[in-house]
Each structure stands twice: as structure tokens, then as C-alpha cells.
Amino acid sequence: AGKNGVLISIAACNFMSGKAERRLEVLSGHVRPSTGQALKPKFCAARGSPREDATARRAFPRKRQEVLKWNGWGFKDSEFLVNDKGVIEFTGGRYKLSGHDLPGLRDFAEKEMGMDVNYRTPSQTLSDMPVPEAVKHEGFLHAVQKVARRECISDLVDDRLQHAHGHTCHEVYALRHGQFQRIPDLVVWPENHDQVVKIVEAACFYNICLIPFGGGTSVSGALECPKDEKRMIVSIDMTDMNKILWVDEENLTMCAEAGIIGEDLERKLAAKGYCTGHDPDSREVSSLGGWIATRASGMKKNVYGNIEDLVGGGEVRVVSRSQTFGRGGGERLATRD
């Protein structure tokens, strides 16, 4: 997460009638014989404003549990159920399947998969789930309160629990039928690079554990808190750092903050006729920073490559214990002669 964000290669993919001429002009620049001259950046109007509201039209709000399931994958309004007609339907209005009966699905599930659609395993409620008491460090709390706005700091149980897990099978099972022996004691939503630097500095000074958090879709176990950790654990939710800082139409690159969610990133790029080409199953709720941290792959990798291929010629800024450093320099491989 950095002031300059993450530099990513993009592709011109939306050949709309009003933009076709511009798209062809851009693409032609990448197949021309080399003139020996370096490519010059040409930035478009997609450059983000420093005052852009981080809550304006985003995949989900800061309190993500308002729209996402607290004890499972996906959005609250979207699920398969057996309706009064005895037919499986997909609820909600979010997708093309939403609100429609799927008349052949029950027969397939029962005959081909051996499922009993009447079998139920009800989840425990949030109020019934045992939650460990928060560990507090007054010095660190005071330092964070000087850096972040009040609404960007939370020690509420539902926020702490929401940031205590990814989405492996055993984590979801623990949410529905068990418990976590250790969860974050505090959640902080930094809004810019400077806040990240100050939070990391305070954590180092007071010996606090930090766990970065993006979309929460991890299946690597990286979001689970060590059960024997006695120090204060703080989840750093990056999703308020969600702006595209600039788009370079000449070199087909863009720079964005690490917390931007994939769906928001693609929507903003599509408005200019572009896409990243990175399309993981979790795109609706996973973040750019999370993709990079886990070396994510997507369904279009054979065309665009994995995320490390898209960032390969760009820059990632990271705040560490001792310094802010970055990896950068060079053109995207696909734009070289």
C-alpha cells in the first residue's frame, strides 16, 4: 500500500462504438516498429482526486457485514433455496440468475450428486458465538486515534470477527458451528499512505501485531490469528484506500491503491474502455493488494497472465518496520518490441 499505489498493466478491451477509433489508435502504438524513442506517458481523465470519498459507490461498505454474509461466502441477498413450489431458486437481484427458478437443478443434485436438499445444518447466531475479550494497549490506541478518524477505528465484536478469518472450509465451519480462540482486538481503516506509515511506526514502537486485510477471501490461512499470541492484534483493513490514481493510455498501465476491490477496479476502468484482464472467482469481493500478496490467478490467465505478470514491469510500494520501499521500473513485457 503506498502513496503511489500499485502500477498494473491494463488492456483495451471495451470496443464500444464511440471509443473504437481511440482504442485502435492506442493498440496500433504497440505494434508499430520501434523508432528507438522511449514511450511517453499520456494520462487520461481517470486520475483519482485526493478528496474522493472512499465510501462513494463501492462493492461493499466499511461495515461489510451489512451486505456480506457474516458466516459464509458472498452477499446476504444471494443464495440457493427450495421455494414453496419445491423448486430450487436463486434469490436476490444481483445476478442474471437472481429471482429465477432453476427447475432442473434439484433433480440433478439429488440424482447425480446424491444430495438431500431437505438436510439442514443451521448456523449458530453471531450472539451465540463465543468471542475472546479484546486485548488493549492504551499507548497504541492513543497513537492511532491521533492518526485515523473515529469512524475508521472499531473494537466492536462484529467488526473484529469479520476480520478474523478468510474463507477456507475450516474457517467457515468455525463461524457456523465453532469458534476462534483468537481474533483481532481492533480494526483500523487507513485512508492514505501517510496513515499507514504512522500506524506501522506506532505498532513497532508499542510491539503490536498488524495483519493487513483486503477482501477477506483468502484461502491461505494468512488472516487467522495465532491462538497463543498475547500481544494486541490489529487488523488493517485497506479498503478505504480504493482509488485509481492515474491511467496511462499510451503505455496501457494504471496506478491504483491496494485496497480497491476488483469489481470497483474493473467498473472504473471499463468506463474508459479498459480492463486489467485479471478475473479471479472472488473478483467481486477481493482486493488488488490481496491479489498481489497471494500471487493470485484468474480465469483469463492464459491470455493476460497471473497477477505477478501484470505487475511485473510496474511498482509496488510497501511500508515495512524500518522503511517504505518499492519495486519498480521498466515497461510491461507485452509492450516491448
Side-chain angles (χ1 to χ4, degrees):
K3 185 181 298 181
N4 295 327
V6 178
L7 188 63
I8 293 283
S9 300
I10 57 176
C13 64
N14 185 12
F15 286 84
M16 301 173 63
S17 57
K19 300 177 180 178
E21 184 176 348
R22 175 60 184 142
R23 297 289 76 79
L24 289 173
E25 178 186 342
V26 171
L27 289 173
S28 67
H30 296 280
V31 296
R32 263 187 224 123
S34 174
T35 61
Q37 296 180 344
L39 293 174
K40 296 181 179 180
K42 183 176 182 180
F43 300 109
C44 77
R47 184 189 297 264
S49 165
R51 292 188 293 273
E52 181 182 339
D53 183 1
T55 64
R57 197 181 172 194
R58 51 196 283 183
F60 46 79
R62 190 176 292 137
K63 295 278 188 177
R64 61 183 70 197
Q65 58 269 29
E66 293 176 1
V67 296
L68 298 178
K69 296 184 178 81
W70 76 271
N71 60 352
W73 178 273
F75 293 90
K76 286 181 176 180
D77 63 357
S78 303
E79 63 178 348
F80 293 98
L81 58 77
V82 180
N83 60 26
D84 295 338
K85 298 178 289 186
V87 175
I88 294 179
E89 69 170 274
F90 191 62
T91 63
R94 196 175 294 272
Y95 308 101
K96 291 182 179 180
L97 278 179
S98 299
H100 291 284
D101 291 349
L102 305 172
L105 184 55
R106 179 170 184 171
D107 187 60
F108 175 82
E110 291 178 332
K111 291 183 178 179
E112 302 298 330
M113 302 179 68
M115 294 176 60
D116 179 359
V117 298
N118 295 311
Y119 181 70
R120 299 286 187 270
T121 55
S123 170
Q124 63 185 336
T125 64
L126 179 59
S127 59
D128 289 336
M129 186 176 185
V131 175
E133 186 176 348
V135 175
K136 295 186 178 181
H137 192 295
E138 293 302 327
F140 179 79
L141 286 171
H142 181 67
V144 169
Q145 288 165 356
K146 291 196 298 184
V147 172
R149 294 185 296 145
R150 178 181 300 177
E151 57 266 37
C152 296
I153 304 171
S154 176
D155 61 358
L156 297 177
V157 169
D158 58 343
D159 287 327
R160 293 171 56 212
L161 185 60
Q162 190 76 31
H163 291 77
H165 62 87
H167 279 82
T168 62
C169 288
H170 79 266
E171 288 168 305
V172 174
Y173 184 88
L175 286 169
R176 297 179 62 84
H177 306 293
Q179 68 179 98
F180 295 102
Q181 294 183 317
R182 192 73 170 87
I183 69 174
D185 305 300
L186 190 73
V187 181
V188 182
W189 288 264
E191 298 175 282
N192 55 59
H193 172 78
D194 291 338
Q195 288 185 3
V196 174
V197 171
K198 291 176 182 178
I199 291 169
V200 171
E201 288 176 347
C204 293
F205 184 82
Y206 292 108
N207 195 24
I208 304 298
C209 300
L210 301 182
I211 299 179
F213 194 96
T217 61
S218 171
V219 291
S220 67
L223 297 177
E224 292 185 86
C225 299
K227 62 181 180 180
D228 298 324
E229 182 55 66
K230 304 300 182 185
R231 295 172 295 173
M232 185 180 187
I233 301 175
V234 180
S235 177
I236 306 300
D237 189 318
M238 298 300 299
T239 55
D240 270 12
M241 292 181 61
N242 55 21
K243 295 186 289 294
I244 293 178
L245 301 180
W246 50 259
V247 174
D248 179 351
E249 291 188 279
E250 188 76 17
N251 295 317
L252 290 180
T253 57
M254 67 91 187
C255 183
E257 294 178 314
I260 192 168
I261 298 300
E263 195 71 7
D264 294 332
L265 176 60
E266 294 298 339
R267 172 176 52 80
K268 292 179 180 181
L269 287 176
K272 298 297 295 183
Y274 298 107
C275 67
T276 65
H278 188 65
D279 195 16
D281 290 338
S282 60
R283 192 181 81 173
E284 285 183 299
V285 287
S286 58
S287 68
L288 172 59
W291 297 346
I292 296 169
T294 58
R295 296 187 67 182
S297 186
M299 291 179 283
K300 300 174 183 175
K301 78 174 208 57
N302 288 340
V303 176
Y304 299 102
N306 289 326
I307 192 64
E308 65 267 24
D309 300 309
L310 299 177
V311 187
E315 178 178 333
V316 177
R317 287 173 60 83
V318 179
V319 179
S320 74
R321 178 186 180 93
S322 58
Q323 63 178 328
T324 296
F325 62 93
R327 171 180 185 252
E331 308 164 33
R332 178 190 177 192
L333 292 179
T335 67
R336 295 177 181 169
D337 294 324

